[in-house]
Amino acid sequence: MSNSFRQDLAVRPRRIRTDAWTRRLVAENRLSVDDLIWPIFLQEDDGTSDVPSMPGVKRYGPDCLIEAIGQAVELNIPAIALFPYNNPDTKTADCREAYNPDNLICTAARSIRQHYQNIALIGDVALDPYNSLGHDGIVKDGVILNDQSVEILCKQALVQVEAGCDYVGPSDMMDGRIGAIRDTLDDAGHTYAKIMSYSAKYASAFYGPFRDAVGATGALKGDKKTYQMDPGNSEEALRMVENDIQQGADMVMVKPGIAYLDIIHRIKSTFGVPTMAYQVSGEYAMIKAASANGWLDHDAVMMESLMAFKRAGTDAILTYFALEAAKIIKS
Ligand code: PBG
């Protein structure tokens, strides 16, 4: 190494990285609390229960729910996505609990609304937590019936909106469900209830811990490949999004997240529509497990992964890290 060696460079890209204030000035993307949606699990019994494959995530009973949501309200998180853990005795092959106006999501939505007005509620529309066969649609002779499932999804969406959900999030991947749900909501006068469509949802192995969280793991026979997308496809994702927009989706979603950033980027640059991403349970579990072992720096990896979503073009991120990330952003 010689001290006299000096390149005659006009362009030194490192100049804008030399100090913190310049790095702040040239930052291209920022993560804000406004970008976060917190998915939470509901249970019928009072108290809370842990989800072992998702350390730090709890299912909340009616008596604990309001306090839990209070944390999100306090942090100014704009929206919460509600997912039910239904007791096994409520699960049937016809999934009728899905449209019971007193089911877990509806009861929770009514109770949250009484306490808080400044946080959006997103009801999950899919049949798997209600289905004794674990699938997102009605199963007959081993086949997932599309149109019969959509009929139930419409009833499910309607009871959720009537209970106070501002959005419905159809995560089922049946054909034509967005248009059918839109018609149902409009006919009932809910013209401004919004649809956040899980448009490009892949048949992913990253959902394992979620299925534990909603108690669907044991029930599910086979896989979801006849309705969720093949992880190798991306043109198909664009067709799905186009189709959902035409049917009235207000926002589209890509799921899982980190392994599918190329899909987010293509959707955003092709359609320019509000594009959400779901950092799913398996992504959360990986970061928690590696950091519990001391192999990764938890907060740094969490924030970097969330920033990667922003860089890819995501407008908002459903993430189990929402509270932890919001606290870091605010501090
Ligand atoms: C099913 C649904 C799943 C998730 C959200 N809704 C799982 C599945 O499709 O089997 C996964 C979310 C996560 O893994 O965090 N309607």
Side-chain angles (χ1 to χ4, degrees):
M1 203 170 48
S2 104
N3 280 340
S4 58
F5 181 75
R6 188 181 162 276
Q7 300 179 92
D8 187 16
L9 292 181
V11 179
R12 287 191 180 265
R14 287 184 55 193
R15 264 187 222 113
I16 59 166
R17 302 180 205 135
T18 48
D19 49 76
W21 51 85
T22 310
R23 288 196 294 270
R24 281 166 62 202
L25 290 173
V26 302
E28 296 177 36
N29 290 290
R30 270 170 237 278
L31 184 70
S32 122
V33 173
D34 298 339
D35 300 319
L36 303 174
I37 299 172
W38 187 34
I40 68 162
F41 298 108
L42 310 167
Q43 67 179 31
E44 195 181 312
D45 301 334
D46 276 339
T48 63
S49 58
D50 293 330
V51 182
S53 49
M54 301 179 75
V57 168
K58 291 185 186 315
R59 307 181 189 97
Y60 297 96
D63 61 329
C64 302
L65 184 62
I66 296 308
E67 195 189 324
I69 307 277
Q71 301 173 71
V73 171
E74 186 80 10
L75 288 160
N76 204 23
I77 289 176
I80 289 181
L82 304 170
F83 294 95
Y85 171 89
N86 294 308
N87 288 336
D89 61 354
T90 64
K91 299 187 190 213
T92 55
D94 63 6
C95 306
R96 68 186 101 92
E97 181 66 7
Y99 53 89
N100 171 2
D102 295 318
N103 69 19
L104 273 180
I105 291 203
C106 295
T107 311
R110 277 191 297 269
S111 135
I112 297 166
R113 265 294 160 264
Q114 275 174 12
H115 288 83
Y116 306 113
Q117 282 72 47
N118 292 333
I119 193 156
L121 302 178
I122 306 171
D124 182 61
V125 174
L127 303 182
D128 50 324
Y130 312 91
N131 192 343
S132 48
L133 299 164
H135 276 287
D136 294 36
I138 298 291
V139 187
K140 181 120 195 286
D141 301 328
V143 175
I144 317 300
L145 302 179
N146 193 85
D147 298 13
Q148 289 84 338
S149 301
V150 171
E151 187 184 0
I152 298 178
L153 296 168
C154 289
K155 293 196 212 172
Q156 181 183 22
L158 185 59
V159 294
Q160 291 179 358
V161 167
E162 305 224 299
C165 289
D166 308 274
Y167 292 70
V168 288
S171 66
D172 56 284
M173 292 293 279
M174 296 300 123
D175 293 338
R177 88 273 207 219
I178 301 302
I181 290 172
R182 186 71 269 158
D183 285 347
T184 303
L185 296 178
D186 287 354
D187 288 349
H190 302 294
T191 321
Y192 284 91
K194 287 159 265 293
I195 302 180
M196 185 179 76
S197 177
Y198 290 59
S199 302
K201 175 169 175 182
Y202 287 85
S204 172
F206 285 102
Y207 307 148
F210 174 96
R211 292 179 191 167
D212 296 339
V214 298
T217 308
L220 181 63
K221 304 274 176 297
D223 56 46
K224 299 192 176 184
K225 290 180 185 168
T226 70
Y227 46 105
Q228 300 180 349
M229 285 176 50
D230 182 337
N233 292 358
S234 51
E235 299 300 334
E236 188 181 352
L238 299 185
R239 294 199 300 275
M240 294 298 293
V241 166
E242 183 171 31
N243 192 358
D244 280 0
I245 297 167
Q246 281 165 354
Q247 290 181 49
D250 301 290
M251 306 170 169
V252 299
M253 198 205 296
V254 175
K255 179 180 171 196
I258 282 287
Y260 295 80
L261 294 181
D262 58 318
I263 306 297
I264 294 168
H265 189 258
R266 288 193 71 187
I267 288 173
K268 190 65 183 179
S269 47
T270 306
F271 300 104
V273 292
T275 305
M276 314 285 130
Y278 202 141
Q279 183 177 44
V280 300
S281 57
E283 303 177 57
Y284 175 87
M286 288 194 302
I287 294 176
K288 287 290 173 191
S291 40
N293 275 294
W295 298 335
L296 286 176
D297 175 340
H298 179 273
D299 289 357
V301 171
M302 167 177 79
M303 297 311 280
E304 182 179 331
S305 67
L306 294 169
M307 182 57 85
F309 284 104
K310 291 298 291 179
R311 193 193 62 241
T314 314
D315 292 291
I317 308 147
L318 284 101
T319 174
Y320 303 100
F321 291 120
L323 295 186
E324 288 173 279
K327 283 179 196 152
I328 291 181
I329 293 168
K330 293 216 148 180
S331 67

